[in-house]
Amino acid sequence: MIVLLCRARRERYAAVIAVILLAASLPPAIAQQAAARAAAPSTSVFDIAQTGVEFQTGDTWSQNGQTFRLYGVQACIRGTQFTNPAGVKTDCGEASVAYFAALIRDTKPSCSAVTQAGAPPVIFTVCAAHVGQNTLDLGTILISQGFAFAAVSPTGKAFQFTYSVVEGEAQKTGRGLWAAKDLPHPTKVLADALKASARPQ
């Protein structure tokens, strides 16, 4: 039973990494189109549900049978480890998920679809979080607090330049996961996975 559970968990992680790698390989034209849509107002606005949501990673969730991901945001990868302030090895992806879920609960974001990729499709979104009387970009909050990072293309260019700037500030101040000296940065983890998948078997 334990072996089956571990196998299922590994397969789920592999599927999530496959989606991340697919997103990172979006052609430049689609990435540019997505950026344009993100900057433009959308009439297709929806709320992230407060119940019945399954958080797959710290940037991806499912509701009503559909999978959504924050455009330009990259969470820590589940299965990677960092040392928390208490000196305990902790799953970095789980820490990202916990912060993301708490943020959704507290800020009740509204989202707009930007583009989609994959089969079944993952819908990439931009979301507005409500903090008091203010409306803030959900991706900016996650990255500025150090619980997510700027997603980059295979060439290393951030899909959203502002996110890379915000990430740099979080790193300088050691916020969130940046406080760990052994932070497994997801860009490196994914780059290593991409290289491994390209090697002849």
Side-chain angles (χ1 to χ4, degrees), residues 3-16:
V3 172
L4 288 174
L5 286 172
C6 289
R7 184 179 301 159
R9 193 173 187 189
R10 280 198 306 270
E11 289 172 356
R12 182 177 176 188
Y13 290 166
V16 169

Side-chain angles (χ1 to χ4, degrees), residues 5 18 51 99 134 161 167 193:
L5 286 172
T51 58
Y99 188 85
N134 300 312
F161 175 72
E167 179 181 326

Side-chain angles (χ1 to χ4, degrees), residues 81-167:
Q81 303 282 313
F82 75 101
T83 306
N84 71 16
V88 178
K89 285 286 186 183
T90 305
D91 188 297
C92 196
E94 295 292 343
S96 278
V97 170
Y99 188 85
F100 186 41
L103 199 59
I104 299 303
R105 182 194 64 227
D106 294 343
T107 66
K108 300 176 174 56
S110 299
C111 304
S112 297
V114 173
T115 190
Q116 68 180 40
V122 174
I123 297 176
F124 290 81
T125 67
V126 289
C127 300
H130 311 292
V131 182
Q133 299 299 312
N134 300 312
T135 301
L136 306 171
D137 177 65
L138 183 61
T140 299
I141 297 173
L142 286 165
I143 296 169
S144 69
Q145 296 306 304
F147 285 92
F149 311 87
V152 300
S153 70
T155 61
K157 184 178 180 181
F159 286 105
Q160 293 276 44
F161 175 72
T162 53
Y163 285 169
S164 62
V165 174
V166 171
E167 179 181 326

Side-chain angles (χ1 to χ4, degrees), residues 11-80:
E11 289 172 356
R12 182 177 176 188
Y13 290 166
V16 169
I17 286 178
V19 168
I20 291 168
L21 290 173
L22 172 65
S25 63
L26 285 173
I30 294 179
Q32 289 170 1
Q33 180 185 28
R37 288 186 189 173
S42 172
T43 55
S44 177
V45 177
F46 65 94
D47 295 332
I48 299 180
Q50 291 295 299
T51 58
V53 173
E54 180 184 354
F55 293 96
Q56 297 176 9
T57 69
D59 58 41
T60 304
W61 74 99
S62 296
Q63 64 183 61
N64 301 323
Q66 180 62 63
T67 301
F68 300 89
R69 183 178 178 197
L70 291 176
Y71 177 75
V73 177
Q74 175 61 63
C76 238
I77 308 298
R78 276 181 158 166
T80 60

